[in-house]
Amino acid sequence: MLLDGDEWQAMFRDFHTQAWRLETLPQYLMPQEAEEIQAFKDGKRIDPHAYTSTYTDRIKRQLAEGKANGRVHVLTRPLSEYLRFEFARYYEPHATAGEDIRILDVTDRVNPLAGIQDFWMFDRSTVVLMNYEPDGRQISRELHESDPAPFIEYQRIAVAESVPFREYVSG
């Protein structure tokens, strides 16, 4: 079953304990980001502390309600231009809001999650597969209707093998 619109938004609104994501691509091409990315490429500085959005507001509210939001991004160096943009524009303010963002850098090591595609997992029971073109354009979001156990294990590996975002960027 493909998810979009209200069904997709309900995943973020209705989870009970945790929304968690695995990201594996060096870029995500979202049409609504095109102008900001181009400005970043042209040298415009991003002030991550001036950024607020419904996403950061939701993270803060859910954290106060005892709900966790997190992600691990698997990447290699050098960072793509998109990842440098994403770190400044999204990761820093999202981490400030309370999202547990972690980085799994596989530049000089074997990727323990090689071949695993992007996904969201809600309450360690509902998995949504994120389908992308090789260039990072989203194709669809698909409800995984089988056992979530492999994805729980992917999450365990990703968290165990990664470092917190702020530790990664400061080191």
Side-chain angles (χ1 to χ4, degrees):
M1 176 170 121
L2 298 181
L3 296 176
D4 209 356
D6 291 338
E7 290 174 323
W8 176 236
Q9 293 305 314
M11 293 289 178
F12 295 93
R13 184 182 60 243
D14 298 340
F15 74 91
H16 299 288
T17 59
Q18 183 184 61
W20 189 86
R21 173 150 186 188
L22 179 70
E23 294 179 304
T24 64
L25 300 179
Q27 74 175 4
Y28 296 91
L29 298 179
M30 305 297 286
Q32 64 270 28
E33 294 177 335
E35 285 182 39
E36 278 189 280
I37 291 172
Q38 188 57 54
F40 179 77
K41 289 178 181 179
D42 293 342
K44 181 180 178 193
R45 185 181 174 282
I46 293 174
D47 181 359
H49 303 291
Y51 176 78
T52 187
S53 69
T54 57
Y55 188 86
T56 55
D57 293 343
R58 180 179 55 78
I59 291 169
K60 290 176 188 175
R61 184 184 73 256
Q62 289 175 335
L63 185 62
E65 295 169 353
K67 298 178 180 182
N69 286 270
R71 73 182 64 223
V72 171
H73 199 134
V74 181
L75 56 78
T76 58
R77 294 182 313 269
L79 297 180
S80 67
E81 206 159 33
Y82 178 83
L83 283 175
R84 288 187 290 112
F85 166 79
E86 184 176 53
F87 278 20
R89 183 67 170 126
Y90 299 116
Y91 283 6
E92 182 59 37
H94 293 175
T96 298
E99 184 173 3
D100 179 24
I101 301 172
R102 302 178 65 84
I103 304 298
L104 175 51
D105 188 331
V106 295
T107 302
D108 299 319
R109 59 179 285 200
V110 173
N111 181 351
L113 296 169
I116 305 305
Q117 78 176 89
D118 285 37
F119 67 89
W120 275 98
M121 184 166 49
F122 301 91
D123 297 326
R124 298 176 58 117
S125 62
T126 303
V127 175
V128 178
L129 302 173
M130 305 296 289
N131 300 311
Y132 293 95
E133 295 287 351
D135 69 358
R137 293 179 203 279
Q138 189 175 79
I139 299 168
S140 64
R141 300 175 202 96
E142 179 182 356
L143 186 63
H144 177 74
E145 299 187 49
S146 294
D147 184 7
F151 296 91
I152 294 169
E153 179 64 5
Y154 302 149
Q155 179 189 30
R156 186 198 66 73
I157 293 166
V159 171
E161 299 287 330
S162 61
V163 298
F165 167 69
R166 288 192 171 124
E167 180 181 325
Y168 182 79
V169 296
S170 68

